[in-house]
Amino acid sequence: QVQLVESGGGLVQPGGSLRLSCAVSGRISGDTIIDWYRQAPAPGKLREFVARISSLGPPAYADSVKGRFTVSRDNAWTTVYLQMDSLRSEDTAAYYCGYRTSRTTYWGQGTQVTVSS
């Protein structure tokens, strides 16, 4: 089993920055893929991909956050970070990290980010 716990969310003004953390515990082996997704509060809004960091290649980003968000990790894969700069109101959402395996994805409980003046 793998457990993930997100933290670092909060209220920030437009143009501001936040750094989210995803604490990873449990058994991780082989190729490692950890994604950040977000889900806006609007009814019917689906969870959308934000960024990916993996042992297989360079980080990947959604077009909507490219150039503003940066995903990184520590050497042991115990913590994955999402640095969010130049935040906009449309970035308001619950942010989730997920560890992907060939069988399933383990998700954290999420952390809320609200961008508002």
Side-chain angles (χ1 to χ4, degrees):
Q1 279 284 356
V2 177
Q3 295 81 40
L4 300 99
V5 178
E6 302 92 337
S7 62
L11 174 64
V12 62
Q13 292 186 343
S17 298
L18 279 176
R19 188 174 80 157
L20 305 184
S21 297
C22 172
V24 184
S25 60
R27 184 183 179 193
I28 292 181
S29 60
D31 297 328
T32 303
I33 300 172
I34 293 181
D35 290 338
W36 284 97
Y37 273 68
R38 66 186 181 186
Q39 188 165 15
K45 194 74 172 180
L46 299 177
R47 193 175 290 193
E48 64 172 353
F49 171 77
V50 175
R52 167 173 291 179
I53 190 165
S54 81
S55 60
L56 300 173
Y61 300 93
D63 287 344
S64 59
V65 306
K66 201 170 292 183
R68 301 188 297 122
F69 290 12
T70 304
V71 62
S72 63
R73 63 172 179 90
D74 65 5
N75 287 337
W77 288 96
T78 61
T79 308
V80 174
Y81 304 98
L82 185 67
Q83 177 67 41
M84 306 186 296
D85 299 318
S86 302
L87 283 161
R88 307 167 180 167
S89 58
E90 54 263 39
D91 296 318
T92 294
Y95 284 71
Y96 301 87
C97 59
Y99 168 60
R100 293 195 174 274
T101 71
S102 58
R103 294 184 177 184
T104 189
T105 300
Y106 297 91
W107 293 104
Q109 84 291 346
T111 186
Q112 178 67 36
V113 172
T114 302
V115 184
S116 175
S117 56

